[in-house]
Amino acid sequence: NGDLLVSERARMNKAGNEEGRSAWGANSRYGFSIRRSHPDSPWALRNSGTEQEAKEYPLKRVRLSGFLKFLESPWSVLGVPLQEIVNGRGVTIVGVSPVTEGGKTYAKVEFRDWSPPNLVRNVDVSVRDGWIILDPNEAWAIQRYELHLTQPLESTSSCRIEYGDDRDGLPIPKRVTVRDTADSGEYRGGWHKQEFEFTEIEFREIPEDEFALTAYGLPEVTESHPLHR
């Protein structure tokens, strides 16, 4: 559901023990951010708000650096829905051509001059050119892509998605690998790799109360607190 979200992230030490945890959440009434300094400590409120920006912030935050970046990878690039890209919104489509790999035929979409919208951080991103490989027989899910960026630095970003079983005709990602490589400057040749593996995805009805502050032992929101970025 686009209005309901809870995501937690633990901070671990070198010994593999949890030292603290942060959580972001949103429901139909408000958005919030909380944290605790120790697994046995109570949760403390960082910010909350009922205005639209406060309700959208947790989703943008998790889409930027949390699990949503990987869960939504079959149909989004840099947090932007695939539909917006192929429709040419803020990007120039160079061409679409068939490619055959492993006995299957895919569609390759090539584009240039793309400036994705900022999600949360005030960082300009510019893509000189890139391509996306789609599977027309699997709900047009992204198989992999490669982007050549000029901002925030000259670099190449690539992503490969491996899929598990389908759910109601939709492919479910099993493993997502993202690699960023610097193409110029003092960091030329340096790279950063992220690999996210889904070991279990569960589909069930969840009451909205589980997306509220009361689920963490905190009182409900009665007024907005400043939004800290």
Side-chain angles (χ1 to χ4, degrees):
N1 188 308
D3 295 327
L4 305 177
L5 168 77
V6 166
S7 177
E8 297 182 15
R9 186 171 66 182
R11 186 175 69 254
M12 313 297 289
N13 58 26
K14 293 183 179 180
N17 299 316
E18 183 179 327
E19 290 188 334
R21 184 175 291 257
S22 300
W24 297 266
N27 53 57
S28 61
R29 303 183 304 279
Y30 58 84
F32 65 88
S33 172
I34 58 178
R35 66 182 174 186
R36 63 184 183 189
S37 57
H38 188 272
D40 297 325
S41 301
W43 289 94
L45 181 67
R46 295 186 63 196
N47 55 67
S48 64
T50 57
E51 64 275 10
Q52 189 65 24
E53 181 187 12
K55 289 192 289 185
E56 292 177 352
Y57 178 79
L59 178 63
K60 292 181 178 180
R61 178 67 174 76
V62 176
R63 180 168 282 146
L64 178 72
S65 59
F67 74 97
L68 273 185
K69 176 172 68 173
F70 302 97
L71 184 61
E72 296 181 340
S73 60
W75 298 284
S76 69
V77 178
L78 300 183
V80 178
L82 178 62
Q83 182 178 3
E84 293 189 15
I85 301 173
V86 298
N87 284 342
R89 297 179 185 174
V91 62
T92 300
I93 302 298
V94 176
V96 180
S97 58
V99 294
T100 301
E101 299 175 354
K104 294 185 66 175
T105 300
Y106 302 96
K108 182 177 184 179
V109 180
E110 298 178 84
F111 54 89
R112 60 178 174 81
D113 303 330
W114 181 36
S115 297
N118 292 331
L119 291 179
V120 177
R121 299 170 183 166
N122 294 319
V123 176
D124 290 329
V125 177
S126 295
V127 178
R128 184 183 68 242
D129 56 67
W131 50 262
I132 307 172
I133 302 293
L134 309 173
D135 189 345
N137 297 312
E138 293 291 342
W140 295 95
I142 296 173
Q143 305 301 298
R144 66 182 190 278
Y145 65 76
E146 182 173 291
L147 311 174
H148 302 120
L149 290 80
T150 56
Q151 286 185 290
L153 75 163
E154 288 193 32
S155 61
T156 298
S157 180
S158 62
C159 176
R160 178 179 293 272
I161 308 167
E162 301 172 49
Y163 292 92
D165 297 331
D166 289 2
R167 167 79 180 192
D168 296 330
L170 295 179
I172 304 299
K174 180 176 64 175
R175 182 182 296 108
V176 182
T177 304
V178 178
R179 181 183 174 109
D180 299 305
T181 305
D183 295 331
S184 66
E186 61 178 312
Y187 300 111
R188 181 183 177 88
W191 56 273
H192 176 254
K193 178 180 177 181
Q194 292 178 288
E195 186 171 282
F196 196 101
E197 184 170 352
F198 294 91
T199 57
E200 181 180 356
I201 298 179
E202 182 179 351
F203 297 86
R204 62 186 177 93
E205 293 292 330
I206 304 176
E208 186 169 352
D209 290 347
E210 294 190 28
F211 299 88
L213 284 170
T214 51
Y216 290 89
L218 295 171
E220 284 285 68
V221 170
T222 57
E223 60 181 8
S224 293
H225 298 266
L227 188 65
H228 301 297
R229 291 181 172 82

